[in-house]
Amino acid sequence: MAEYLASIFGTEKDKVNCSFYFKIGACRHGDRCSRIHNKPSFSQTIVLINIYQNPQNSAQTADGSHLAGISEVEVQQHYDDFFEDIFVEVEEKYGEIEEMNVCDNLGDHLVGNVYIKFRREEDAEKAVADLNNRWFNGRPLYAELSPVTDFREACCRQYEMGECTRGGFCNFMHLKPISRELRRELYGRKQPRGRRSRSRSPIRRKSKEKDNRRKSRSRDRERKRSRSREREGRSGRF
């Protein structure tokens, strides 16, 4: 019996524990759910609740006319700036990030959620303790440890294939992608541990020209963050 209960834990067959909370770290029923939400006491993953505000989703007019002057390029740039600000600052303050994902769902339990998976559980614990005393864009941050460790199980496969019929109110994660350039910049700089370069001269493997471009981008990011902090003033931004 114990083996059977263990085998169905967190699945739809489990009548005691909420399978949605186990898979995606959130449930549309919230505290009213008839099943138990087993919140982890330790995890590599944290969730920042409802932090990202997509300008396309925060409609101010019924016909969406307020978005007429906003191009897709501008929306993507707005998102990339947000993603980079969070990723860089969190990694610098708390520890190495393995993966970060942002939900583009519309349901209250998922909208704007940011999931950050650290390499070490201790870093996740430290981040939660500190971030719950922080503000972002004039709003308090709410952070907690999340049971999600495998985002493949948490994501909507139909959405990834462009076939989800539930739209933004799907109960599985619709993850908003960042640009390829930003992905290379944030994740490409990390080399797998324990693997050696195939080059006989690893120190000179990257050309001086590429190094200069990287330094230039770093200076641009620092100037951009400085200007952003000046504009925000006392708004409480990271």
Side-chain angles (χ1 to χ4, degrees):
M1 185 64 178
E3 291 182 1
Y4 172 72
L5 293 176
S7 68
I8 65 170
F9 180 83
T11 68
E12 294 181 1
K13 293 181 180 180
D14 190 341
K15 303 302 180 183
V16 177
N17 303 288
C18 179
S19 61
F20 273 105
Y21 184 81
F22 181 73
K23 287 181 180 179
I24 66 176
C27 170
R28 64 190 178 93
H29 298 294
D31 295 335
R32 300 188 304 275
C33 184
S34 60
R35 300 183 183 184
I36 298 174
H37 292 177
N38 288 291
K39 296 190 176 183
S41 56
F42 54 88
S43 175
Q44 289 176 260
T45 307
I46 72 170
V47 56
L48 302 176
I49 301 171
N50 306 142
I51 181 177
Y52 174 62
Q53 294 180 302
N54 188 336
Q56 291 180 315
N57 293 342
S58 55
Q60 298 173 359
T61 56
D63 60 358
S65 58
H66 68 290
L67 297 174
I70 304 178
S71 67
E72 291 292 332
V73 174
E74 289 174 322
V75 171
Q76 185 64 47
Q77 186 60 53
H78 172 273
Y79 175 61
D80 281 356
D81 289 344
F82 164 85
F83 193 101
E84 183 180 12
D85 282 348
I86 299 294
F87 188 103
V88 172
E89 185 125 4
V90 167
E91 187 167 61
E92 287 178 353
K93 288 182 180 295
Y94 308 115
E96 183 180 344
I97 293 175
E98 283 192 358
E99 188 175 357
M100 175 170 146
N101 292 295
V102 179
C103 289
D104 204 26
N105 302 65
L106 294 176
D108 290 342
H109 62 301
L110 285 175
V111 61
N113 283 2
V114 175
Y115 291 83
I116 303 173
K117 183 179 180 182
F118 291 90
R119 191 172 72 86
R120 303 194 316 160
E121 292 177 351
E122 304 87 71
D123 295 337
E125 183 178 3
K126 179 173 60 176
V128 167
D130 187 57
L131 289 171
N132 276 313
N133 297 315
R134 303 285 297 277
W135 289 63
F136 184 82
N137 274 351
R139 299 189 302 155
L141 289 175
Y142 296 101
E144 61 183 41
L145 294 175
S146 172
V148 180
T149 54
D150 186 352
F151 287 94
R152 293 172 298 179
E153 290 293 323
C155 292
C156 173
R157 293 183 176 85
Q158 286 75 22
Y159 173 74
E160 293 176 347
M161 296 185 292
E163 300 175 356
C164 181
T165 59
R166 295 179 179 271
F169 292 97
C170 179
N171 285 321
F172 286 94
M173 291 183 188
H174 287 189
L175 300 183
K176 188 172 179 64
I178 56 177
S179 64
R180 292 181 180 180
E181 293 78 10
L182 182 59
R183 179 166 294 277
R184 283 197 298 266
E185 190 172 337
L186 296 178
Y187 293 102
R189 61 185 177 179
K190 302 177 182 180
Q191 293 187 1
R193 295 175 178 271
R195 293 182 61 183
R196 296 181 179 178
S197 170
R198 295 181 181 179
S199 171
R200 294 182 181 180
S201 302
I203 295 178
R204 298 188 181 184
R205 186 166 56 89
K206 293 185 181 294
S207 67
K208 185 176 181 180
E209 182 180 353
K210 289 182 179 179
D211 289 339
N212 289 338
R213 285 202 299 267
R214 183 181 297 106
K215 291 176 182 177
S216 177
R217 287 197 300 270
S218 296
R219 287 194 296 268
D220 290 341
R221 286 201 308 272
E222 187 58 38
R223 284 195 294 268
K224 182 175 65 178
R225 285 199 292 269
S226 296
R227 289 195 298 268
S228 176
R229 292 190 184 102
E230 290 174 2
R231 287 196 302 269
E232 292 295 336
R234 298 181 180 180
S235 64
R237 188 178 176 85
F238 252 16

